[in-house]
Amino acid sequence: GETYYGSVGIPDATFNPEKWNQDNPSQPQLKIYQSVTKFVDDLMTSGEKNGIAFDFEKDCEPCAFSPESGYQAAEKLRRRSPDLTGIFAISDAMAFGAIRLYRDQELNVPGDISVLGFNGISYVRYYSPRLATIRQDVATLAWKSVDDLLLRISYGSPAVHEKLPYEYMEGESVAPPRK
């Protein structure tokens, strides 16, 4: 664990996954949103139990799922919270953008700041430093999302929230805890 961490990519308070799914039936986001939100809640609870402060308003920066947005969000976080020792990005692509920002600012990942991604895409093995990430079974997530969408379209079923298993994939972007 880090001594002070932030996050990039958490949807802002105006994001409504139910409305998104109604307006964009071919691009369901509810399960992904719920899965990430649950993981972030677990992460925050774990941090609190271990004495790691997290101020959602100060230490979280919403952004889109792209390296460019991850770069911009990490830049805003850095200005607002310069003492961060680690960040969690809710997609590996956002994490790549954050790492690029830190390199541009001549910071060392993970020496100066740790970066943890989410998705476990194959590119994490080839990025430098290799990105530490949380991996979910994307095929199962996609299958369950489509199944849920078809049930809602065909039968008017309510959205279903399921907790899917995830695993930590070790990389080179996270340092040991600081004292």
Side-chain angles (χ1 to χ4, degrees):
E2 295 300 312
T3 55
Y4 181 41
Y5 67 97
S7 180
V8 296
I10 305 301
D12 65 25
T14 63
F15 180 74
N16 180 333
E18 291 285 353
K19 176 139 177 41
W20 170 272
N21 287 348
Q22 290 171 354
D23 295 343
N24 304 279
S26 65
Q27 300 174 11
Q29 296 292 312
L30 181 61
K31 279 190 181 286
I32 295 169
Y33 173 78
Q34 288 175 326
S35 175
V36 170
T37 302
K38 174 66 174 134
F39 179 79
V40 171
D41 286 346
D42 291 349
L43 184 67
M44 289 173 61
T45 300
S46 175
E48 289 170 6
K49 286 180 182 176
N50 291 293
I52 300 172
F54 186 85
D55 178 340
F56 196 84
E57 296 299 316
K58 180 181 175 197
D59 302 328
C60 182
E61 184 59 42
C63 70
F65 288 77
S66 71
E68 296 84 7
S69 291
Y71 185 103
Q72 293 164 355
E75 188 171 34
K76 289 176 185 175
L77 268 179
R78 181 106 176 106
R79 270 188 261 125
R80 198 167 54 234
S81 301
D83 296 333
L84 287 177
T85 58
I87 68 156
F88 168 66
I90 66 166
S91 82
D92 293 336
M94 290 177 209
F96 294 151
I99 290 172
R100 177 77 261 162
L101 168 82
Y102 299 133
R103 284 186 173 164
D104 288 351
Q105 293 185 349
E106 299 183 7
L107 295 173
N108 178 276
V109 174
D112 297 314
I113 189 163
S114 293
V115 177
L116 175 64
F118 189 92
N119 291 130
I121 62 175
S122 62
Y123 298 117
V124 303
R125 296 187 314 254
Y126 305 102
Y127 199 76
S128 181
R130 285 188 179 93
L131 181 65
T133 188
I134 303 299
R135 188 188 81 75
Q136 280 193 307
D137 181 351
V138 176
T140 300
L141 179 63
W143 179 81
K144 289 181 176 285
S145 295
V146 170
D147 186 53
D148 180 56
L149 177 64
L150 292 175
L151 286 172
R152 289 189 298 132
I153 289 171
S154 299
Y155 303 106
S157 301
V160 177
H161 176 74
E162 292 181 57
K163 183 177 179 182
L164 296 177
Y166 52 84
E167 67 176 317
Y168 174 70
M169 293 177 57
E170 206 164 315
E172 302 164 340
S173 62
V174 174
R178 291 171 171 84
K179 302 292 178 195

